Short mmCIF file of all heavy atoms in Angstrom, two decimals:
data_model
loop_
_atom_site.label_atom_id
_atom_site.label_comp_id
_atom_site.label_asym_id
_atom_site.label_seq_id
_atom_site.Cartn_x
_atom_site.Cartn_y
_atom_site.Cartn_z
N GLY C 271 -47.40 16.70 0.89
CA GLY C 271 -47.46 15.92 -0.32
C GLY C 271 -48.14 16.77 -1.46
O GLY C 271 -48.38 16.32 -2.55
N GLU C 272 -48.40 18.08 -1.15
CA GLU C 272 -49.10 18.90 -2.10
C GLU C 272 -48.08 19.52 -3.19
O GLU C 272 -46.90 19.55 -2.94
CB GLU C 272 -49.72 20.19 -1.33
CG GLU C 272 -51.06 19.58 -0.60
CD GLU C 272 -51.67 20.69 0.26
OE1 GLU C 272 -51.16 21.79 0.24
OE2 GLU C 272 -52.59 20.26 0.99
N ILE C 273 -48.64 19.96 -4.25
CA ILE C 273 -47.80 20.55 -5.39
C ILE C 273 -48.27 21.93 -5.63
O ILE C 273 -49.46 22.14 -5.97
CB ILE C 273 -48.04 19.67 -6.72
CG1 ILE C 273 -47.66 18.23 -6.45
CG2 ILE C 273 -47.21 20.30 -7.72
CD1 ILE C 273 -48.03 17.36 -7.63
N HIS C 274 -47.50 22.89 -5.30
CA HIS C 274 -47.83 24.31 -5.62
C HIS C 274 -46.80 24.90 -6.41
O HIS C 274 -46.71 26.19 -6.65
CB HIS C 274 -47.89 25.12 -4.27
CG HIS C 274 -48.88 24.56 -3.35
ND1 HIS C 274 -50.26 24.70 -3.54
CD2 HIS C 274 -48.80 23.83 -2.21
CE1 HIS C 274 -50.83 24.11 -2.46
NE2 HIS C 274 -49.99 23.60 -1.70
N LYS C 275 -45.82 24.07 -7.04
CA LYS C 275 -44.72 24.65 -7.67
C LYS C 275 -44.31 23.62 -8.84
O LYS C 275 -44.49 22.47 -8.64
CB LYS C 275 -43.53 24.86 -6.88
CG LYS C 275 -43.63 25.64 -5.59
CD LYS C 275 -42.22 25.71 -4.87
CE LYS C 275 -42.41 26.32 -3.43
NZ LYS C 275 -42.86 27.71 -3.36
N ALA C 276 -43.78 24.30 -9.80
CA ALA C 276 -43.20 23.41 -10.90
C ALA C 276 -41.96 24.20 -11.54
O ALA C 276 -41.92 25.42 -11.52
CB ALA C 276 -44.17 23.16 -12.00
N GLU C 277 -41.02 23.40 -11.99
CA GLU C 277 -39.84 23.97 -12.67
C GLU C 277 -39.98 23.81 -14.17
O GLU C 277 -40.29 22.73 -14.69
CB GLU C 277 -38.46 23.27 -12.23
CG GLU C 277 -37.28 23.78 -12.92
CD GLU C 277 -35.93 23.35 -12.51
OE1 GLU C 277 -35.98 22.37 -11.73
OE2 GLU C 277 -35.02 23.91 -12.94
N ALA C 278 -39.79 24.88 -14.90
CA ALA C 278 -39.80 24.87 -16.36
C ALA C 278 -38.40 24.28 -16.75
O ALA C 278 -37.38 24.86 -16.41
CB ALA C 278 -40.05 26.30 -16.86
N LEU C 279 -38.51 23.27 -17.64
CA LEU C 279 -37.27 22.73 -18.23
C LEU C 279 -37.35 22.60 -19.72
O LEU C 279 -38.32 22.05 -20.19
CB LEU C 279 -37.02 21.32 -17.53
CG LEU C 279 -36.61 21.34 -16.05
CD1 LEU C 279 -36.81 19.99 -15.45
CD2 LEU C 279 -35.16 21.85 -15.92
N LEU C 280 -36.46 23.23 -20.37
CA LEU C 280 -36.51 23.34 -21.84
C LEU C 280 -36.12 21.98 -22.58
O LEU C 280 -35.28 21.27 -22.21
CB LEU C 280 -35.62 24.47 -22.32
CG LEU C 280 -35.63 24.99 -23.71
CD1 LEU C 280 -37.17 25.41 -24.02
CD2 LEU C 280 -34.70 26.15 -23.95
N ARG C 281 -36.88 21.78 -23.65
CA ARG C 281 -36.65 20.56 -24.49
C ARG C 281 -36.39 20.92 -25.91
O ARG C 281 -37.22 21.81 -26.39
CB ARG C 281 -37.73 19.57 -24.32
CG ARG C 281 -37.97 19.01 -22.96
CD ARG C 281 -36.84 18.05 -22.65
NE ARG C 281 -36.86 17.50 -21.26
CZ ARG C 281 -36.19 17.98 -20.23
NH1 ARG C 281 -35.42 19.06 -20.33
NH2 ARG C 281 -36.27 17.46 -19.13
N TRP C 282 -35.54 20.30 -26.70
CA TRP C 282 -35.40 20.51 -28.07
C TRP C 282 -35.59 19.24 -28.71
O TRP C 282 -34.73 18.36 -28.69
CB TRP C 282 -33.98 21.08 -28.36
CG TRP C 282 -33.72 21.43 -29.83
CD1 TRP C 282 -34.61 21.54 -30.83
CD2 TRP C 282 -32.37 21.67 -30.42
NE1 TRP C 282 -34.05 21.84 -32.03
CE2 TRP C 282 -32.70 21.88 -31.81
CE3 TRP C 282 -31.08 21.79 -29.87
CZ2 TRP C 282 -31.60 22.24 -32.73
CZ3 TRP C 282 -30.06 22.02 -30.87
CH2 TRP C 282 -30.37 22.26 -32.18
N LYS C 283 -36.66 19.19 -29.63
CA LYS C 283 -36.95 18.04 -30.38
C LYS C 283 -36.31 18.32 -31.82
O LYS C 283 -36.97 18.94 -32.62
CB LYS C 283 -38.39 17.79 -30.46
CG LYS C 283 -38.91 17.71 -28.95
CD LYS C 283 -40.16 16.91 -28.85
CE LYS C 283 -40.38 16.68 -27.22
NZ LYS C 283 -41.75 17.06 -26.87
N HIS C 284 -35.18 17.76 -31.99
CA HIS C 284 -34.36 17.91 -33.21
C HIS C 284 -34.97 16.92 -34.20
O HIS C 284 -35.14 15.72 -33.93
CB HIS C 284 -32.99 17.71 -33.01
CG HIS C 284 -32.15 18.16 -34.14
ND1 HIS C 284 -32.05 17.36 -35.27
CD2 HIS C 284 -31.38 19.23 -34.33
CE1 HIS C 284 -31.15 18.03 -36.09
NE2 HIS C 284 -30.80 19.14 -35.58
N PRO C 285 -35.25 17.32 -35.43
CA PRO C 285 -35.89 16.33 -36.39
C PRO C 285 -34.96 15.24 -36.72
O PRO C 285 -35.45 14.12 -37.01
CB PRO C 285 -36.18 17.25 -37.60
CG PRO C 285 -35.35 18.48 -37.56
CD PRO C 285 -35.19 18.67 -36.00
N ALA C 286 -33.72 15.46 -36.74
CA ALA C 286 -32.72 14.27 -37.16
C ALA C 286 -32.17 13.65 -35.85
O ALA C 286 -31.89 12.40 -35.94
CB ALA C 286 -31.64 14.75 -38.04
N HIS C 287 -31.98 14.34 -34.85
CA HIS C 287 -31.15 13.78 -33.67
C HIS C 287 -32.06 13.50 -32.47
O HIS C 287 -31.46 13.16 -31.44
CB HIS C 287 -30.03 14.69 -33.21
CG HIS C 287 -29.14 15.10 -34.40
ND1 HIS C 287 -28.47 14.13 -35.09
CD2 HIS C 287 -28.95 16.34 -35.06
CE1 HIS C 287 -27.74 14.80 -36.18
NE2 HIS C 287 -28.05 16.10 -36.08
N GLY C 288 -33.32 13.60 -32.59
CA GLY C 288 -34.28 13.41 -31.52
C GLY C 288 -34.15 14.42 -30.46
O GLY C 288 -33.74 15.59 -30.68
N CYS C 289 -34.56 14.04 -29.24
CA CYS C 289 -34.61 15.01 -28.11
C CYS C 289 -33.16 15.33 -27.62
O CYS C 289 -32.48 14.36 -27.21
CB CYS C 289 -35.48 14.53 -26.95
SG CYS C 289 -35.85 15.69 -25.74
N ILE C 290 -32.74 16.58 -27.68
CA ILE C 290 -31.41 16.97 -27.31
C ILE C 290 -31.52 17.64 -25.91
O ILE C 290 -32.39 18.45 -25.67
CB ILE C 290 -30.76 17.90 -28.30
CG1 ILE C 290 -30.67 17.21 -29.65
CG2 ILE C 290 -29.41 18.35 -27.78
CD1 ILE C 290 -30.06 18.08 -30.71
N SER C 291 -30.63 17.17 -24.97
CA SER C 291 -30.70 17.61 -23.61
C SER C 291 -30.27 19.08 -23.48
O SER C 291 -29.41 19.55 -24.14
CB SER C 291 -29.84 16.78 -22.81
OG SER C 291 -29.51 17.41 -21.51
N PRO C 292 -30.94 19.77 -22.63
CA PRO C 292 -30.63 21.23 -22.38
C PRO C 292 -29.07 21.36 -21.91
O PRO C 292 -28.45 22.31 -22.24
CB PRO C 292 -31.54 21.81 -21.30
CG PRO C 292 -32.19 20.63 -20.82
CD PRO C 292 -32.18 19.49 -21.82
N SER C 293 -28.61 20.31 -21.26
CA SER C 293 -27.20 20.37 -20.82
C SER C 293 -26.27 20.40 -22.02
O SER C 293 -25.24 20.93 -21.99
CB SER C 293 -26.80 19.14 -19.92
OG SER C 293 -27.79 18.87 -19.04
N ASP C 294 -26.78 19.86 -23.14
CA ASP C 294 -25.95 19.91 -24.35
C ASP C 294 -26.26 21.17 -25.18
O ASP C 294 -25.26 21.76 -25.75
CB ASP C 294 -26.28 18.69 -25.24
CG ASP C 294 -25.75 17.44 -24.65
OD1 ASP C 294 -24.75 17.45 -23.94
OD2 ASP C 294 -26.49 16.34 -24.78
N PHE C 295 -27.50 21.68 -25.27
CA PHE C 295 -27.65 22.81 -26.20
C PHE C 295 -27.67 24.18 -25.47
O PHE C 295 -27.40 25.11 -26.14
CB PHE C 295 -28.82 22.58 -27.02
CG PHE C 295 -30.16 22.74 -26.47
CD1 PHE C 295 -30.89 23.97 -26.21
CD2 PHE C 295 -31.03 21.58 -26.01
CE1 PHE C 295 -32.03 24.14 -25.66
CE2 PHE C 295 -32.28 21.71 -25.41
CZ PHE C 295 -32.68 23.03 -25.20
N ILE C 296 -27.84 24.22 -24.24
CA ILE C 296 -27.88 25.55 -23.48
C ILE C 296 -26.41 26.05 -23.61
O ILE C 296 -26.28 27.25 -23.92
CB ILE C 296 -28.30 25.47 -22.08
CG1 ILE C 296 -29.91 25.19 -21.93
CG2 ILE C 296 -28.00 26.73 -21.29
CD1 ILE C 296 -30.76 26.27 -22.36
#
Side-chain angles (χ1 to χ4, degrees):
E272 287 172 8
I273 302 169
H274 303 286
K275 302 180 193 299
E277 178 174 6
L279 293 161
L280 193 55
R281 297 289 177 264
W282 180 13
K283 303 204 173 136
H284 190 286
H287 309 298
C289 191
I290 301 177
S291 161
S293 314
D294 292 327
F295 73 82
I296 292 288

